Amino acid sequence: MEYNPKIMAFLCKWCSYTGADLAGTSRMEYKPNVHAIRVMCSGRIEPTFILKAFHEGADGVLIFGCHPGDCHYQEGNYKCLRRYHLLKKYIRQMGIEPERIKLEWISASEGKQYAELVNSFTQTITELGPCHVKEKMAILT
Amino acid sequence: MAEEKQKIKMAVYWGAACGGCCVSVLDVHEALFDVVAAADLVFWPIALDTKYQDVEEMPDGHIDLTLFNGAVRNSENEHMAKLLRQKSKILVAYGSCSHLGGIPGLANFSTKEEIFQRVYFDSESTTNPGKVLPQIEYQVAEGILELPEFYNDVRHLANVVDVDYFMPGCPPQTARLVEVFMAIVSGAELPPPGSVIGAGDKAQCDECTRKKSENKGIKKFYRPWEVVDDGETCFLEQGLLCMGPTTRTGCDFRCIEGNAPCRGCYGPTPDAIDPGAKMMSAIASVIDEKEPAAIDKILEDLVDPAGYFYRYSLPSSYIRRKMS
Amino acid sequence: MKKITIDPITRLEGHGKIEIFLDDAGDVKNVYFQVPELRGFEKFCEGRPVEEVPYIVTKICGVCPGCHHMASGKAVDAVFGVKPPPTALKLRDLFYMAHFVHSHIAHFYALGAPDFVVGPDAPKAERNILGVIGKVGVDIGKEVIKQRRIAQEIQALLAGHQTQCMMNVPGGVRKGLTEEERDDIVKKAEDFIEFSKFSLKIFEDVVLSNQKYVDIILHGPYSLKLHSMGLVDENNHVNFYDGKVRVVDTKGFELHKYAPADYQDYVAEHVEPWSYLKFPYLKQIGWKGFIDGQDSSVYHATPLSRLNASDGMATPLAQKEHDRMYGVLGGKPVHNTLAMHWARLVELLYSAEHCLELAQDPDIVGKELRTPIEKVVGEGADTVEAQRGTLTHHYWTDDKGVVTKVNIIVGTTNNNAAINMSIKKAAEGLIKKGTEVSDGILNMIEMAFRAYDPCFSCATHSLPGEMPMIVEIKDADGKLIQRVQRN
């Protein structure tokens, strides 16, 4: 069966989800591998979500937030940024390529940038191959 | 006329364990007399001469309460977990190893092969020119000798059998054991099966006696030998990693009393599905930097994230073993 | 051939089983003592910051976590090239003496004594601490429990918790003692001394006054001529915390005396396919198999071997008891396995006396608890005596102090070959053509290992698995007769 990457994306309501919406309403074409989940703020995103995504079969996870300084709740995106850096360190230690998660800032007007980021990340995840966390964790050896 | 209360039948058994949980039971000290007044100990290898054969011959459900400590890391541990599930009315995962995987769970960073290599071939004091390794079945002149099969993955108890209750701690604080035991023998109503008992629902920080302020920004993670703890301020505020923010109470703050930061043996607070991820979230949030490069610089001193955040709980986490 | 299995062995710490093969006549053909457990500390400590290792290796054993905590703390000091200040060293020693008091009390009364107090072939259900309390009375039982509790409390005061030991940091300890705490410990140490004397009296009354037991100790199938290992101070007196490793031969003459860091020149570990536990032996003699005697390379590391390997005890009352024991048993070295129980009580008395000495030392309430760390040397090895034998931890780290390699030789592991042979000898002595192999007989075989106070969680800190194997059978000249391959 051909490998079709499964990518989870978490988007904050105020900037990035709106930006993604713009990509849609503007009929921009981009790869369909992303499953989007909207949260109120990127500061709501915690490592548990990303780890659960891998555990359930994701090959890559995208995190989108408002640009630094523009967070609707002031500092939420900074919290997200710090967690993202620690999480990369942790998953590298666990033998998962840190490139499988990516944090990007997208404003409400950046529909084009959203589409481009989705395409390039899908390409990265295609090249990295399937993640295998789900299969590996499913069987006790 | 007073009715003589029937004694409950109790067992304590160890899987891949260190014996500390059994010692925590012995550490009831003078309360031992209350325990034996209320319970017949029927199986406890550290202290009693009951053998496996005797347990096999017990009727199902014969044992009222079994405290199973230790992780499941070989076929013997798994067999005994299943046997004791069958023979017990209440099965408690007692201590960090059976609750979450425990320290033996750290072996999930390596494979079985990597571990043999180290122990039987590469260890500096080992002389093994014939590259001999222990065998599950080995023919000697007189017959066949058997050893249990060692698994690649360390498991916590709930991965192997249905568990009625979880008692956290490495080891569980004996005072909590006595409370739970007295509740069971007095016939008090027990929480629903699957509950964590003998531990609080709040995080350590809630009741910790160390001085706390609102200033929780971390500018540097100090290795413990780089600073001298002042003995009274919150560890995190001194830049010393402490798992207090997401670890349950129940241990009576024994490490804090010893001037040591918490390492999370009582397991995560009820809202955490993955035992280390909430802690990563909490710690990362208070890193006092906004630029990626500066954040990475601070994180450089956090040399072993998985070993800090999953010290006692690797087998029960989402990424429960290192991907090879 | 008939096979009798004892599974699991009981009244000890850890997992083990015994397989006894009988020939058709009903005599013992061979006996194997197998350790079925392993966990992998020597592998999974890799990647951990070295200062965290003293809190991880306490989980090698929950009965003697303090031993690993101390050996580890000393090895970590060496990794940083520092020695703790005098107060810190004395606090560690004080903790350690309380640790010995707890463990030796637990072993004697709960694990070993049932065989003597209740009787080796008493019904199974009575051969335990409750049976002992039933025989000696509740008051004595309460005193045993109380003294052990106090020993645990002293450790908790110094280390946070007696099992979850958090005391050691690189270069020292985390917590000091106040004068009130010290005064309280002085009183408790005095009580320990009285209780130790009392325990020796119980041994006298229950064991030494009973001719049947004396016969078992002196003439029963529980005797092996082995070399003895133990840590000694500069006066060659028994020391648990620090010193040099001394090995004396079966006649009592010094074979080796070495600094702990040099252990690899003196001790090597042999592997057998039927046990997960390795078999240490004296490297310079070379592995000669499961034989005892002067020419063997097998040694033991137990309370008895510590006393054998020393010129005496460092405290006066323990020295008197040491002399009394050797007087009764016929001089040094003693090879009667069951005498380990007696030696253990002599050590209990020493621990109590030394505990008092330390508590009365003015340095013990000093404020200087840590030596500052200036560099990472990157390698450290050191040794303590665990209650069950000589314990060595050896760590290698990178320049950030993160562990790259670990090697540990544990107290009980030293005794693996000796335990095998002791069990075999007991079985051969107790099961002969026509013997009805009762539960009591099997328990008397187990008594052979119980004297060693084994700790197989300790011993089996490391992990193996399933792999292809080649067995080569060679004749006495080393010529290959047969080669058998599996997988």
Side-chain angles (χ1 to χ4, degrees):
Chain A
M1 199 165 72
E2 208 195 286
Y3 163 51
N4 205 12
K6 279 205 209 49
I7 297 170
M8 262 340 285
F10 296 95
L11 297 94
C12 75
K13 167 192 156 133
W14 299 99
C15 288
S16 47
Y17 194 85
T18 311
D21 239 357
L22 183 60
T25 53
S26 311
R27 310 285 175 126
M28 292 181 198
E29 274 194 24
Y30 57 89
K31 291 257 188 305
N33 302 68
V34 166
H35 304 256
I37 292 184
R38 189 185 76 169
V39 294
M40 291 307 289
C41 175
S42 57
R44 176 66 187 95
I45 299 161
E46 43 176 298
T48 311
F49 298 174
I50 289 98
L51 296 174
K52 185 171 164 127
F54 284 121
H55 188 83
E56 306 274 302
D59 300 298
V61 180
L62 275 167
I63 305 161
F64 293 103
C66 305
H67 284 270
D70 295 343
C71 175
H72 188 82
Y73 301 102
Q74 310 302 321
E75 304 254 325
N77 53 358
Y78 291 121
K79 292 198 167 79
C80 182
L81 175 66
R82 295 159 190 156
R83 289 172 189 149
Y84 166 69
H85 279 263
L86 178 52
L87 189 59
K88 278 179 93 105
K89 221 175 132 106
Y90 164 69
I91 65 171
R92 173 187 270 119
Q93 197 180 0
M94 298 311 291
I96 300 170
E97 302 91 331
E99 299 78 39
R100 289 191 187 270
I101 60 176
K102 197 151 183 14
L103 171 68
E104 292 289 357
W105 309 126
I106 288 289
S107 78
S109 60
E110 289 180 311
K112 182 160 173 286
Q113 287 83 341
Y114 175 76
E116 284 166 359
L117 283 165
V118 167
N119 284 339
S120 74
F121 188 71
T122 308
Q123 182 62 24
T124 304
I125 297 301
T126 307
E127 283 160 11
L128 280 173
C131 180
H132 295 307
V133 164
K134 183 179 177 183
E135 302 101 80
K136 271 241 155 82
M137 298 304 137
I139 310 164
L140 285 162
T141 56
Chain B
M1 187 151 80
E3 218 177 76
E4 205 189 84
K5 192 148 190 180
Q6 256 235 298
K7 282 197 190 184
I8 66 162
K9 293 191 196 55
M10 184 165 146
V12 183
Y13 183 70
W14 46 21
C18 73
C21 287
C22 289
V23 171
S24 79
V25 177
L26 277 171
D27 281 355
V28 296
H29 301 306
E30 284 89 346
L32 181 67
F33 294 101
D34 298 322
V35 171
V36 302
D40 270 329
L41 288 154
V42 297
F43 179 49
W44 191 13
I46 200 177
L48 310 178
D49 282 352
T50 321
K51 306 294 183 190
Y52 289 148
Q53 189 59 37
D54 302 319
V55 180
E56 307 262 359
E57 287 165 8
M58 291 175 187
D60 288 359
H62 176 77
I63 308 172
D64 293 296
L65 172 66
T66 293
L67 303 178
F68 189 106
N69 63 85
V72 173
R73 101 132 299 145
N74 68 23
S75 53
E76 179 180 317
N77 303 149
E78 183 174 11
H79 171 73
M80 287 310 296
K82 290 178 170 162
L83 183 68
L84 286 165
R85 172 70 278 181
Q86 198 188 330
K87 307 290 182 186
S88 310
K89 290 200 187 71
I90 300 178
L91 180 65
V92 176
Y94 186 80
S96 297
C97 294
S98 52
H99 174 210
L100 297 168
I103 293 283
L106 291 172
N108 281 358
F109 279 119
S110 306
T111 62
K112 211 165 56 172
E113 288 71 29
E114 287 168 344
I115 294 173
F116 316 156
Q117 183 71 33
R118 173 68 196 149
V119 170
Y120 292 99
F121 300 153
D122 296 344
S123 142
E124 287 70 16
S125 48
T126 300
T127 318
N128 189 4
K131 298 248 184 253
V132 174
L133 284 169
Q135 301 296 307
I136 296 175
E137 240 184 49
Y138 183 68
Q139 176 82 49
V140 290
E142 300 82 9
I144 295 194
L145 293 172
E146 288 167 344
L147 286 172
E149 180 196 345
F150 280 89
Y151 298 149
N152 196 33
D153 290 317
V154 179
R155 301 128 160 85
H156 59 298
L157 189 63
N159 232 322
V160 179
V161 291
D162 287 331
V163 174
D164 296 308
Y165 297 107
F166 301 90
M167 274 191 76
C170 185
Q173 190 73 343
T174 302
R176 304 288 91 71
L177 168 65
V178 173
E179 288 157 15
V180 166
F181 177 80
M182 289 306 172
I184 292 175
V185 300
S186 69
E189 198 186 316
L190 299 174
S195 301
V196 171
I197 57 175
D201 284 343
K202 293 202 162 159
Q204 300 260 325
C205 294
D206 235 70
E207 291 164 28
C208 180
T209 51
R210 287 229 164 186
K211 287 213 294 265
K212 296 179 275 252
S213 72
E214 295 292 311
N215 304 328
K216 283 268 187 309
I218 292 175
K219 279 279 190 212
K220 184 171 162 62
F221 286 107
Y222 289 100
R223 300 277 288 279
W225 37 271
E226 289 177 312
V227 291
V228 179
D229 160 42
D230 67 11
E232 34 178 52
T233 311
C234 165
F235 285 106
L236 280 169
E237 290 180 29
Q238 298 183 75
L240 293 163
L241 199 55
C242 177
M243 303 297 150
T246 60
T247 302
R248 285 180 187 262
T249 52
C251 58
D252 296 335
F253 301 95
R254 55 204 188 188
C255 294
I256 308 292
E257 295 291 312
N259 284 346
C262 172
R263 283 294 178 253
C265 79
Y266 254 70
T269 43
D271 55 338
I273 313 164
D274 173 285
K278 270 278 197 236
M279 191 64 203
M280 282 199 275
S281 192
I283 289 294
S285 309
V286 296
I287 291 172
D288 198 0
E289 281 296 344
K290 292 179 169 171
E291 293 298 316
I295 294 171
D296 272 339
K297 186 98 183 44
I298 292 178
L299 285 174
E300 255 174 44
D301 291 317
L302 201 66
V303 292
D304 177 27
Y308 281 124
F309 300 120
Y310 294 91
R311 177 75 54 85
Y312 293 89
S313 60
L314 194 57
S316 56
S317 63
Y318 274 132
I319 317 294
R320 62 172 171 72
R321 81 149 21 257
K322 184 171 171 180
M323 303 281 291
S324 43
Chain C
M1 196 168 300
K2 187 174 172 202
K3 185 167 90 165
I4 300 175
T5 305
I6 302 176
D7 193 15
I9 53 176
T10 52
R11 278 187 287 128
L12 83 162
E13 197 294 317
H15 292 244
K17 64 171 171 151
I18 297 170
E19 301 282 18
I20 305 168
F21 290 101
L22 303 180
D23 65 21
D24 296 321
D27 288 324
V28 170
K29 192 76 206 265
N30 210 346
V31 180
Y32 294 85
F33 166 64
Q34 299 179 272
V35 178
E37 66 169 337
L38 295 163
R39 285 163 299 154
F41 283 81
E42 279 160 331
K43 188 65 191 172
F44 64 66
C45 284
E46 288 174 9
R48 311 280 84 78
V50 75
E51 70 272 8
E52 296 288 323
V53 177
Y55 319 128
I56 295 174
V57 295
T58 42
K59 315 306 166 171
I60 293 179
C61 179
V63 177
C64 59
C67 304
H68 290 284
H69 193 60
M70 288 303 141
S72 186
K74 291 171 72 185
V76 170
D77 292 339
V79 164
F80 291 102
V82 293
K83 209 169 160 154
T87 296
L89 288 172
K90 289 174 185 178
L91 285 167
R92 285 187 183 175
D93 205 0
L94 180 64
F95 165 90
Y96 209 40
M97 291 308 100
H99 193 50
F100 262 75
V101 168
H102 125 75
S103 176
H104 277 1
I105 289 179
H107 183 267
F108 180 70
Y109 286 98
L111 308 188
D115 294 321
F116 296 103
V117 172
V118 186
D121 43 12
K124 197 189 278 196
E126 289 169 25
R127 294 193 311 248
N128 51 59
I129 175 77
L130 300 171
V132 170
I133 295 177
K135 271 259 156 64
V136 304
V138 170
D139 286 337
I140 293 180
K142 283 196 166 142
E143 190 61 23
V144 171
I145 287 173
K146 176 182 164 189
Q147 294 300 323
R148 189 179 159 269
R149 168 172 59 78
I150 290 171
Q152 296 287 65
E153 285 168 358
I154 292 174
Q155 292 169 75
L157 179 67
L158 292 164
H161 188 267
Q162 62 274 19
T163 309
Q164 177 77 291
C165 306
M166 303 300 282
M167 183 178 196
N168 289 341
V169 285
V173 299
R174 294 188 193 267
K175 210 179 166 203
L177 269 185
T178 66
E179 285 177 16
E180 293 83 38
E181 288 164 344
R182 181 270 313 274
D183 296 340
D184 189 47
I185 293 176
V186 166
K187 280 203 224 87
K188 288 171 173 167
E190 285 163 352
D191 287 343
F192 286 158
I193 292 174
E194 289 313 304
F195 183 73
S196 304
K197 287 197 228 159
F198 172 77
S199 302
L200 280 156
K201 181 98 187 13
I202 288 202
F203 191 78
E204 169 82 45
D205 292 341
V206 172
V207 181
L208 297 176
S209 307
N210 184 330
Q211 194 54 43
K212 173 177 160 206
Y213 290 151
V214 174
D215 281 340
I216 291 178
I217 293 175
L218 290 177
H219 309 297
Y222 300 107
S223 168
L224 282 179
K225 281 198 166 52
L226 296 171
H227 311 301
S228 297
M229 175 185 279
L231 212 56
V232 294
D233 64 20
E234 59 276 356
N235 300 317
N236 280 346
H237 289 153
V238 173
N239 192 296
F240 300 145
Y241 180 78
D242 207 14
K244 290 216 159 85
V245 180
R246 193 172 190 229
V247 181
V248 303
D249 66 17
T250 61
K251 303 193 175 76
F253 295 108
E254 183 178 296
L255 268 178
H256 303 306
K257 190 169 165 183
Y258 59 89
D262 297 333
Y263 73 98
Q264 285 175 54
D265 295 332
Y266 298 93
V267 173
E269 296 179 279
H270 169 82
V271 183
E272 288 285 348
W274 41 264
S275 182
Y276 284 117
L277 186 57
K278 295 184 278 189
F279 298 85
Y281 61 97
L282 294 174
K283 187 170 187 173
Q284 294 178 12
I285 298 176
W287 177 252
K288 297 275 174 72
F290 294 95
I291 55 166
D292 67 334
Q294 182 66 7
D295 298 331
S296 172
S297 58
V298 176
Y299 63 92
H300 69 119
T302 65
L304 183 62
S305 62
R306 286 194 278 261
L307 266 56
N308 280 344
S310 74
D311 289 345
M313 310 303 289
T315 54
L317 297 174
Q319 176 64 28
K320 267 224 296 268
E321 290 298 326
H322 159 285
D323 291 341
R324 195 170 108 72
M325 184 184 94
Y326 282 109
V328 167
L329 295 177
K332 256 183 189 175
V334 162
H335 295 299
N336 308 90
T337 306
L338 296 181
M340 290 177 193
H341 291 290
W342 195 349
R344 190 165 291 113
L345 292 176
V346 176
E347 286 191 339
L348 177 62
L349 183 52
Y350 161 68
S351 307
E353 286 184 280
H354 190 41
C355 189
L356 182 61
E357 280 176 348
L358 288 161
Q360 289 173 328
D361 185 325
D363 277 347
I364 206 78
V365 289
K367 301 283 179 249
E368 214 191 316
L369 302 180
R370 291 164 66 162
T371 301
I373 305 298
E374 261 135 45
K375 60 184 186 306
V376 178
V377 169
E379 185 181 346
D382 215 331
T383 293
V384 297
E385 282 297 319
Q387 293 93 359
R388 298 143 190 102
T390 313
L391 167 62
T392 303
H393 280 233
H394 189 170
Y395 308 144
W396 293 260
T397 73
D398 65 16
D399 54 13
K400 277 191 161 175
V402 176
V403 174
T404 54
K405 273 194 304 183
V406 172
N407 194 33
I408 304 176
I409 301 187
V410 180
T412 290
T413 314
N414 292 294
N415 299 318
N416 194 10
I419 288 174
N420 258 277
M421 294 192 292
S422 282
I423 292 174
K424 180 174 174 183
K425 191 145 190 202
E428 285 170 343
L430 291 161
I431 300 177
K432 293 204 202 292
K433 192 184 337 250
T435 310
E436 195 217 309
V437 182
S438 65
D439 171 68
I441 295 273
L442 293 179
N443 183 49
M444 288 180 72
I445 294 172
E446 288 195 68
M447 279 167 64
F449 73 71
R450 234 169 250 137
Y452 289 83
D453 182 9
C455 188
F456 291 114
S457 289
C458 275
T460 57
H461 45 288
S462 39
L463 181 74
E466 216 180 326
M467 263 271 235
M469 189 197 64
I470 296 168
V471 175
E472 290 180 336
I473 301 168
K474 299 188 173 158
D475 67 14
D477 298 322
K479 239 184 19 225
L480 182 66
I481 307 173
Q482 192 185 349
R483 200 165 191 267
V484 178
Q485 192 158 342
R486 185 184 289 274
N487 294 341

